[in-house]
Amino acid sequence: MPAGFSQALLVAVIAGFGTALLSGFLTPGTMQAALLSLIAPTPLFIVAFGWHPYAGALAGLSAALIIQAAAGTPPALAIATLFSLPVFGLAWMSEARLSPLSGRPERDGIEVGRLVLILIAYIAMAFVVAGILIEPDFAALQQRIRRSVEAVFALIGMPGGGPALPSGDMARIFDLMAAIIMPLSALITLVTLIASAAIGLLVADRSRRLAFVKPDLRRFRLPGGTLILLGLALFASMRDGYVGLFGSIMALGLLFALILQGLAVVHVRTIGMESRAFMLTAIWAALIVFGLPALIFLVIGMIDHITDFRRGRL
């Protein structure tokens, strides 16, 4: 067995175990597990970027098999669908699309934007297909989710739970939670994958194992027509059934991507300022803790998409 292959195999198995451990399926019910799950795909991305996309796929398969043995088939399928396949796809497409751009930094930002759009569409489709497989009737799926929410409330001793149908405000809360759980879960998955990909890319680059020149994420820019796509997604989100679910997930993903573009603008426009480090730290802290500043960066991202605030700055 060649030394390079044996090394990649060993690293892939270790990364798979790391992702299985970080995912929380092996240690359910703890706050630490919930927080660590937000970076669960990171070991897979490190292997996929640092060794080869196929090594990342093998690491993802290892994670799925470990979770299948410990927690059952449904969690393993979730890991394979939402982590393993996107990691392999993003690593493979990054190598194919970014390698020819070495020395052309003005293009790498928009190529990363295209990859994010592909990822958003994949996550939206994956959640819709999963919902159809669980319950072909969307209304029945919503009722199943609603009953699960009621059961959780009853389990933790909150009022309104239990077998009796809650009335008034609690009923509206249950209906709202049943409606937003799947789009919100898809958004969390998107954030997890993007954050883990950025960390994995940085680690692979610092280790000098990246097969292409690391893109300058300050250049991140969504391709033209994204605002039109956002409008179509918002229109679809107002429809009933799985079409509305697909539109909601697409709209949330596009809004998040525009927020990232707004943050990229701030990172560029603050270059040369004496208090840049403090300012960026405060911005990210406020964004993570409070969330409300995201609306500001969303507007900045939308305007930048049309006017290009970063022209001549990089």
Side-chain angles (χ1 to χ4, degrees):
M1 181 182 295
F5 177 79
S6 60
Q7 182 193 53
L9 180 63
L10 177 61
V11 170
V13 173
I14 294 173
F17 179 77
T19 291
L21 191 61
L22 291 171
S23 69
F25 288 119
L26 303 184
T27 55
T30 63
M31 180 62 70
Q32 294 85 347
L35 293 175
L36 290 175
S37 66
L38 296 177
I39 57 169
T42 300
L44 306 185
F45 276 113
I46 292 174
V47 173
F49 285 133
W51 276 262
H52 195 277
Y54 288 125
L58 180 59
L61 177 62
S62 301
L65 291 175
I66 291 170
I67 290 175
Q68 198 277 334
T73 300
L77 290 176
I79 289 293
T81 304
L82 299 179
F83 286 176
S84 303
L85 284 177
V87 166
F88 170 74
L90 285 176
W92 181 76
M93 287 188 292
S94 295
E95 189 168 327
R97 300 179 75 95
L98 297 177
S99 292
L101 299 179
S102 298
R104 295 169 55 197
E106 71 279 0
R107 291 291 303 162
D108 59 10
I110 199 166
E111 287 298 336
V112 174
R114 288 194 176 97
L115 293 177
V116 170
L117 283 188
I118 293 172
L119 178 62
I120 293 170
Y122 171 81
I123 291 175
M125 185 61 67
F127 271 80
V128 168
V129 171
I132 292 174
L133 292 176
I134 294 171
E135 190 64 71
D137 181 13
F138 184 73
L141 177 67
Q142 291 291 89
Q143 288 301 313
R144 177 180 291 197
I145 295 174
R146 192 183 192 280
R147 289 193 296 269
S148 299
V149 171
E150 292 181 39
V152 170
F153 270 65
L155 184 64
I156 62 177
M158 294 290 289
L165 182 66
S167 60
D169 292 341
M170 289 306 301
R172 286 190 287 271
I173 290 174
F174 288 152
D175 290 337
L176 177 62
M177 293 184 69
I180 68 173
I181 277 180
M182 288 195 71
L184 186 60
S185 299
L187 178 61
I188 292 173
T189 302
L190 175 65
V191 174
T192 297
L193 286 169
I194 290 178
S196 298
I199 297 172
L201 191 68
L202 179 63
V203 172
D205 182 60
R206 292 288 177 87
S207 303
R208 301 184 184 276
R209 300 197 62 93
L210 201 58
F212 49 88
V213 175
K214 184 177 78 68
D216 186 350
L217 298 182
R218 297 175 302 176
R219 297 179 181 273
F220 174 76
R221 182 177 182 83
L222 294 167
T226 296
L227 293 180
I228 297 175
L229 182 60
L230 174 61
L232 294 174
L234 290 171
F235 177 76
S237 69
M238 295 184 288
R239 303 291 299 274
D240 295 328
Y242 285 107
V243 173
L245 176 63
F246 181 82
S248 298
I249 296 174
M250 283 293 298
L252 282 175
L254 291 171
L255 290 172
F256 176 71
L258 285 166
I259 290 171
L260 292 180
Q261 184 163 329
L263 286 167
V265 170
V266 174
H267 275 259
V268 172
R269 298 291 295 189
T270 54
I271 292 176
M273 293 184 179
E274 293 183 1
S275 57
R276 182 173 185 267
F278 174 78
M279 187 182 303
L280 293 178
T281 301
I283 287 173
W284 277 97
L287 186 63
I288 293 172
V289 174
F290 300 108
L292 188 60
L295 295 176
I296 300 173
F297 299 114
L298 173 61
V299 174
I300 294 174
M302 287 181 170
I303 298 175
D304 177 70
H305 188 70
I306 300 171
T307 62
D308 191 5
F309 282 147
R310 291 166 285 179
R311 186 184 296 116
R313 289 277 178 163
L314 285 174

